[in-house]
Amino acid sequence: MSLTILRGRNMKDGDLSNVQGRVIAFRCEDCLIKYKTEGVMNKVLNVVIGKLRRAEINPDYYKAMEYFYLNTEYVVDLVILRENYTQEMKSIIADIPYSRIILIDKESQVSQRLLIGDITIYVDDDDYRRSLVNSPYAVSLNELSNVVKRGKV
């Protein structure tokens, strides 16, 4: 069962009605948050220190999220695996512009949300996860601008 945690600004045009704006959901793990996993030294340090403490924010994802959050009518969500949503994760994403967090247990829950219209576009750079979602609206960050510009949503 997926869970949604609201943070604010998820109504269309700031309207307090029950009409929600279109939603772009960005994948958090391995996309927005990049783990240092290449090389033996990084793997050892990940075990000793913890991979979240050594993680970095992907500036391309951050800029895209900030742009859509501040300059468009889109609602920006984060998709996070429930097992990865820890206090360390909360502290890393505290200053990132988003409206809500969608906690999932498996990728099919993203597919369900795309099918029912809770998510308009799902952004993930991992080809395998996008293939599990199996939707034309599951795109990479490079494809996102083309999908939005063409108005396919």
Side-chain angles (χ1 to χ4, degrees):
M1 179 170 125
S2 65
L3 175 72
T4 303
I5 300 169
L6 293 176
R7 185 173 173 192
R9 193 180 174 251
N10 66 337
M11 298 299 165
K12 185 175 183 178
D13 298 321
D15 186 10
L16 294 177
S17 67
N18 61 356
V19 178
Q20 180 176 310
R22 293 179 289 180
V23 176
I24 299 177
F26 290 86
R27 184 57 179 240
C28 192
E29 303 97 334
D30 301 324
C31 295
L32 174 64
I33 296 176
K34 288 287 193 184
Y35 302 114
K36 297 179 181 179
T37 57
E38 295 179 11
V40 176
M41 184 60 109
N42 281 329
K43 291 179 182 179
V44 170
L45 287 173
N46 284 346
V47 171
V48 173
I49 297 173
K51 70 178 184 176
L52 268 177
R53 289 190 178 155
R54 302 186 68 241
E56 297 175 342
I57 301 294
N58 183 337
D60 295 333
Y61 263 80
Y62 182 83
K63 288 175 189 173
M65 290 176 68
E66 185 177 47
Y67 174 78
F68 282 106
Y69 186 82
L70 297 175
N71 300 319
T72 69
E73 73 279 358
Y74 286 96
V75 176
V76 175
D77 291 351
L78 283 177
V79 175
I80 303 173
L81 279 176
R82 186 181 309 272
E83 64 193 35
N84 294 336
Y85 191 61
T86 61
Q87 287 300 327
E88 288 178 345
M89 176 71 80
K90 290 177 188 178
S91 67
I92 291 174
I93 63 173
D95 296 328
I96 293 174
Y98 66 90
S99 297
R100 60 183 181 162
I101 295 172
I102 301 172
L103 298 179
I104 60 169
D105 297 313
K106 51 188 172 184
E107 305 306 323
S108 63
Q109 292 169 336
V110 175
S111 297
Q112 293 167 353
R113 286 177 177 260
L114 279 165
L115 287 172
I116 63 171
D118 186 41
I119 296 174
T120 311
I121 302 170
Y122 172 66
V123 183
D124 190 343
D125 280 343
D126 187 276
D127 293 332
Y128 178 70
R129 283 194 304 248
R130 281 198 325 267
S131 70
L132 290 176
V133 171
N134 194 23
S135 171
Y137 300 108
V139 298
S140 69
L141 186 61
N142 293 334
E143 298 168 338
L144 176 62
S145 63
N146 291 334
V147 171
V148 172
K149 283 179 189 175
R150 291 182 185 150
K152 291 186 175 183
V153 290

